[in-house]
Amino acid sequence: MIQIPKGCKDILPTQSHIWQYIEGVAKETARAYNFREIRTPVFEHTELFARGVGETTDVVTKEMYTFLDKGGRSVTLRPEGTAGVARAFAENGLQGGVLPFKAYYLYSNFRYERPQAGRLREFHQFGAELYGAAGPAADAETISLADLFLKKLGLSHIELKLNSIGCKQCRKKYNEALRAYFEPHIDEMCEDCRTRFAKNPMRILDCKREECKKFTAAAPRILDFLCGDCRAHFEEVKALLDRAKIAYTVDASVVRGLDYYSRTVFEFTTQAAGAQGTVLAGGRYDTLLEQMDVSPTPAVGFAAGIERLIMVMEAEGAPMPAREGVDCYLAGLDGPSRMQAYLLAEELRRQGLSCETDLLERSVKAQFKYADKIGAKYVATIGESELASGAAQVKNMRDSTSQCVEFGALAQYVKRGVKTW
Ligand code: ATP
Ligand code: MG
């Protein structure tokens, strides 16, 4: 049998209600902040990610699903959401539209990674993007959205780590200091870090290897290199979060893995998900559009990994929705009753209820068993005498009481009943 590609997962009908629940909370939280949904293509020109995400990032150097299409163009499956949204924003002339522009997405992304718990090749994200606002209030609002989303999911042991990586000028000085600091150790560090050392030393701080981590702990801190403007921006973001009572810790090791960030960067992390503790991450990316040859527009955003969120929700025992059962199962005992059950099921469906009736010509006993398995709230049984009297025997499956209900009144009866379920 052909098997699912490595690093991918099926989301089966027995689990999809959890996904719908999380997506529902995401949409509801986005709405509270007036972020609207955006959908961009699953693939883009490779160049978009190479330039947008950054040539020295792990995503671009190692993780992209890139291929030539039949026309010989190099295209890449979306490894993250931000570059595509930036392209859509610019290409549709939205800089000239209503600002700030606020959009969210619920996407699957593709990265060629070594699969493990919380690290997949196809994974899903809830992301939010805010364009056109340079001030710290936009950073704070974006972080608040993320915080409220996680709180609504009942995740209380998640820590917000906050940092500022300054602007290009701050980083120029900082990178020099980092090079001076890492120089004596670089031969003991991993090959990737040696490349990072040459091209983008700050990225070394994001290395997950133990042999490199032992040197990064005592490295110079970017916060000591911020220029006056970047420092003031960071202070104001913190002040706004303080006022909104959003707890955070300043953590100079948060530098984020993608090149487009500037100033504010943040991660929501937890110990509950094992090694893959970052469930949501984001920051400001004021230079992204410029990097893509579009007139500069300030921007801030985040993305949360849904698979990781589910892992953490399970580990923390966060409330999970139960799979909702069908409103009514209609059991027919003989041929004519089955026909009546079929017609009534159709009627109930038209009235907005969910119901099922037998498709497998099962015995009555087997039909009841099935109704139980699908979590039917009511079971309406029709036999010879019910057919003659025009009323079904309706059993409330929660309290096991039964009542005789006329066929014409069944929809209303079930509707009223399920409201209080
Ligand atoms: P990591 O450091 O864990 O590799 P990242 O910096 O590559 O994460 P981002 O690109 O910022 O991650 O993506 C934001 C979020 O998306 C992550 O915090 C995580 O929850 C999720 N995520 C990223 N890559 C994967 C993956 N391969 N599988 C599952 N979730 C992922
Ligand atoms: Mg990664």
Side-chain angles (χ1 to χ4, degrees):
M1 198 198 69
I2 298 168
Q3 291 180 338
I4 191 169
K6 206 172 153 184
C8 298
K9 268 194 180 150
D10 297 313
I11 299 164
L12 300 172
T14 43
Q15 303 148 343
S16 54
H17 63 287
I18 291 174
W19 286 76
Q20 289 172 350
Y21 161 70
I22 295 172
E23 287 160 7
V25 173
K27 288 177 187 175
E28 174 191 297
T29 315
R31 209 188 112 61
Y33 290 79
N34 197 30
F35 282 61
R36 305 283 170 138
E37 188 178 11
I38 187 165
R39 301 185 189 199
T40 64
V42 165
F43 63 91
E44 299 267 4
H45 293 299
T46 301
E47 181 72 10
L48 176 77
F49 301 116
R51 278 226 250 157
V53 179
E55 308 270 11
T56 65
T57 59
D58 282 358
V59 170
V60 172
T61 54
K62 296 187 244 171
E63 299 171 359
M64 293 207 302
Y65 276 92
T66 298
F67 57 96
L68 292 179
D69 71 7
K70 291 192 196 303
R73 301 170 202 91
S74 178
V75 293
T76 295
L77 297 183
R78 173 175 65 209
E80 54 90 66
T82 297
V85 175
R87 181 203 47 70
F89 175 77
E91 193 168 349
N92 291 285
L94 302 180
Q95 291 114 311
V98 180
L99 294 177
F101 167 83
K102 295 172 168 188
Y104 76 88
Y105 56 82
L106 281 159
Y107 278 166
S108 63
N109 297 324
F110 306 85
R111 295 187 192 174
Y112 194 80
E113 300 212 63
R114 198 167 61 78
Q116 49 194 293
R119 198 172 284 287
L120 293 143
R121 290 186 173 171
E122 182 188 19
F123 65 99
H124 298 75
Q125 286 185 332
F126 164 49
E129 315 271 341
L130 192 159
Y131 281 86
D139 309 46
E141 185 171 298
T142 308
I143 294 172
S144 302
L145 197 174
D147 181 71
L148 183 60
F149 168 61
L150 297 174
K151 285 193 178 133
K152 280 190 182 193
L153 290 177
L155 296 170
S156 43
H157 300 294
I158 292 196
E159 200 189 350
L160 166 57
K161 292 180 182 164
L162 190 67
N163 192 21
S164 172
I165 54 167
C167 60
K168 273 188 191 141
Q169 277 72 36
C170 313
R171 275 200 305 272
K172 196 162 172 260
K173 280 192 240 143
Y174 180 55
N175 277 336
E176 281 164 21
L178 278 181
R179 281 210 183 90
Y181 169 81
F182 283 119
E183 176 113 68
H185 310 295
I186 195 66
D187 293 337
E188 298 161 67
M189 300 174 76
C190 76
E191 202 186 314
D192 284 342
C193 280
R194 290 201 287 274
T195 314
R196 292 171 182 136
F197 180 82
K199 290 190 174 164
N200 191 349
M202 200 175 73
R203 183 104 311 121
I204 296 176
L205 303 181
D206 209 27
C207 186
K208 293 180 179 71
R209 289 172 185 262
E210 287 308 320
E211 71 253 41
C212 303
K213 272 191 186 169
K214 70 174 187 242
F215 296 114
T216 56
R221 287 159 31 103
I222 177 76
L223 290 173
D224 299 325
F225 292 78
L226 295 187
C227 66
D229 284 351
C230 287
R231 182 176 307 283
H233 184 97
F234 191 48
E235 289 307 317
E236 187 58 22
V237 173
K238 288 192 293 180
L240 287 166
L241 294 177
D242 289 337
R243 291 295 294 271
K245 296 196 168 48
I246 293 174
Y248 60 85
T249 49
V250 173
D251 184 336
S253 71
V254 175
V255 293
R256 308 294 310 118
L258 313 179
D259 264 356
Y260 47 58
Y261 288 106
S262 55
R263 292 194 166 168
T264 313
V265 286
F266 57 90
E267 289 182 353
F268 285 83
T269 64
T270 170
Q271 310 294 324
Q276 317 310 334
T278 306
V279 291
L280 184 153
R284 181 167 273 289
Y285 28 91
D286 291 347
T287 56
L288 172 62
L289 284 194
E290 217 176 325
Q291 236 161 275
M292 290 162 47
D293 291 339
V294 185
S295 60
T297 307
V300 52
F302 68 78
I306 303 205
E307 286 84 356
R308 285 192 202 174
L309 276 175
I310 294 176
M311 277 171 62
V312 178
M313 286 168 73
E314 282 167 353
E316 277 200 19
M320 292 274 200
R323 193 154 77 105
E324 220 200 319
V326 73
D327 294 328
C328 187
Y329 181 84
L330 290 119
L333 304 192
D334 54 20
S337 311
R338 280 172 190 271
M339 176 52 78
Q340 184 61 50
Y342 162 72
L343 292 174
L344 271 174
E346 280 300 291
E347 172 58 21
L348 263 56
R349 288 164 182 153
R350 277 162 183 69
Q351 301 268 346
L353 292 164
S354 73
C355 46
E356 275 210 59
T357 187
D358 183 41
L359 296 177
L360 296 178
E361 298 188 16
R362 283 181 168 134
S363 70
V364 181
K365 209 174 138 201
Q367 287 189 57
F368 287 165
K369 219 169 156 184
Y370 176 71
D372 200 43
K373 274 191 192 151
I374 60 171
K377 296 170 187 166
Y378 288 90
V379 176
T381 309
I382 303 164
E384 208 177 331
S385 61
E386 284 79 14
L387 208 53
S389 65
Q393 275 302 322
V394 184
K395 185 173 173 188
N396 176 326
M397 298 300 278
R398 192 159 54 179
D399 61 14
S400 290
T401 54
S402 277
Q403 204 169 323
C404 199
V405 182
E406 273 180 33
F407 294 157
L410 184 61
Q412 283 313 316
Y413 179 83
V414 174
K415 254 191 196 174
R416 224 176 310 121
V418 296
K419 256 193 210 148
T420 62
W421 207 264

